[in-house]
Structures are given as structure tokens and as C-alpha cells.
Amino acid sequence: RDRGPGRPLPVPEDRLRPVYDGSRREDRVPVGDRPPPPRPPGDRRVATRAGLGLPPPALPPRPRSPPPTESRRHRSRSRSRRQPTLVVDRTALCPFLIRLFHRRKDFHEPDELELKMLEARGIPGPLEDELRIYTWPDACLGEIASLVSEALPHADVDGVRLVFRLLYRSSSGKLMASSLGEVRVGKPSPDDGRGIVEAGFEVGDFIDCGVF
């Protein structure tokens, strides 16, 4: 039967097939899960993850930097950390200066000593209660004690205790104090052979000596 020009012929219902256009949500494939398109033979181009719609690769964890080395000025002056005994050729090495402050039956307070050195700035020569000793890095407390006994008559008595403290500056510049050791004049002492460098002394530090 002629239905006129421009009208399509009817199609039986059993021959109708739905056309999939990807509009159903459950039929859609996420972009990241789609397989890469096939490449023609001989194509050596590297497909990027962005071109395939894939998420960027996870960055490897950043290696943790080692903790900063704890400098001598930042750590506490623990006497348990002993350094190996130094061997110095005193004929080839120039000695350095140690400013040693002394007091009878007492020590100098760091703040007090700081103020005293500040007031004496620009004045040549040692202070009233100061000894200036030139020695080498391998010097021990027994050697320092013998020099103190030679310079101070009240310290040149058998049985007198010479108690040494180390005065050093912290990271903030404040003068701090820590124990160095004790030497008895005329008698053997456990700290006679303790090296000042082994005990934590560095060039530029001060020593405070209490004569008891």
C-alpha cells in the first residue's frame, strides 16, 4: 500500500533493536578505567597518563632528612661522652690561651663574670682574679692544677682541692657552666689525667677554679 512520498515503511516490532548511546548511568565506563586505544604498528609514541584520562601517579614519599647534628653548643656537656686521648707534638704546634678565673672557697657566677669581663673590656692585662695560661690541646687537669699552684700561694698547700668548672657560651650567647673535675694538691686524684679537650673544652672557653 502506497503511503505517499517521504513516509518510511513500518518495521515489524521483532526487528526493532535499541540503539546504545551510553546515556544510561550504569552502562557508562569511567574514563580512568577505559583501556588505552590500540596503536598502529610501528607507533613508538609514549602515551601519557593525562592523555588516557588516568590520575597522576602517586609521588614516592619524601625521604626524611636526618636530624641536624647536635652541635657542642646545643647539647648538654655530659661527661659520659669521652673522646680519644689526643697525641700532640708540642714542638710543632703553637699553644693557645686559656683564661682561668679563680676564687677561694667559691666559684664565679656566670652572670657576674660576664659583667666583670664586660666592664674590663679594652683594659690590657688579666683581671685581678684571672690567670692566663698558654697550653696545648693535650693538657690535663693535673697539669693545669700545677700551674695554678705555682701562681697562687694559697693554692700551693698539700691537700687543697682545686675544683674546675668549664665556662662556655650557649647558642644564645649566654655564659654557661659545667663541671670539669677536681684535683688535690700533693695527692693523687682520679681526675689528674683527664684531658681538658676530652672533658669538653674548646678554644675560646674559660675555666673557673674554686680553691677549697
Side-chain angles (χ1 to χ4, degrees):
R1 184 178 178 181
D2 188 5
R3 303 181 63 88
R7 294 186 177 182
L9 297 176
V11 181
E13 294 183 0
D14 57 346
R15 299 183 62 183
L16 292 176
R17 295 182 179 178
V19 179
Y20 172 69
D21 57 359
S23 60
R24 291 187 301 174
R25 183 179 300 272
E26 58 273 13
D27 293 336
R28 294 181 183 177
V29 180
V31 176
D33 296 340
R34 297 179 184 177
R39 300 181 185 177
D43 187 2
R44 297 183 178 181
R45 292 178 301 175
V46 178
T48 61
R49 299 181 68 88
L52 299 178
L54 300 177
L59 297 177
R62 295 181 58 183
R64 293 186 177 182
S65 58
T69 303
E70 195 176 21
S71 67
R72 171 181 166 274
R73 300 301 181 186
H74 295 171
R75 70 170 187 260
S76 61
R77 302 278 181 111
S78 173
R79 294 293 157 253
S80 60
R81 300 183 179 183
R82 299 295 300 273
Q83 301 178 3
T85 304
L86 294 176
V87 179
V88 176
D89 183 6
R90 295 193 174 188
T91 61
L93 184 64
C94 181
F96 59 85
L97 172 66
I98 297 180
R99 299 183 65 181
L100 185 144
F101 301 91
H102 55 88
R103 177 172 286 183
R104 300 185 69 170
K105 300 184 183 302
D106 200 0
F107 296 103
H108 291 85
E109 293 296 331
D111 295 338
E112 172 196 356
L113 190 58
E114 184 79 55
L115 181 60
K116 183 180 294 188
M117 290 190 295
L118 186 62
E119 293 175 348
R121 181 174 295 179
I123 302 177
L127 301 179
E128 180 181 359
D129 51 357
E130 177 187 359
L131 296 177
R132 296 192 173 181
I133 299 173
Y134 288 89
T135 187
W136 290 265
D138 61 345
C140 59
L141 290 181
E143 181 180 351
I144 301 297
S146 64
L147 296 175
V148 173
S149 300
E150 293 176 6
L152 303 178
H154 61 274
D156 192 14
V157 179
D158 290 347
V160 170
R161 294 188 303 118
L162 300 180
V163 184
F164 297 96
R165 296 199 311 171
L166 180 64
L167 301 176
Y168 64 98
R169 297 195 181 277
S170 63
S171 57
S172 61
K174 184 178 180 180
L175 199 62
M176 307 293 290
S178 63
S179 176
L180 269 180
E182 177 181 334
V183 174
R184 285 186 175 269
V185 178
K187 297 182 179 180
S189 304
D191 294 334
D192 282 344
R194 172 177 289 184
I196 57 175
V197 173
E198 298 174 12
F201 181 88
E202 289 185 1
V203 177
D205 292 342
F206 311 105
I207 293 180
D208 188 21
C209 177
V211 183
F212 297 91

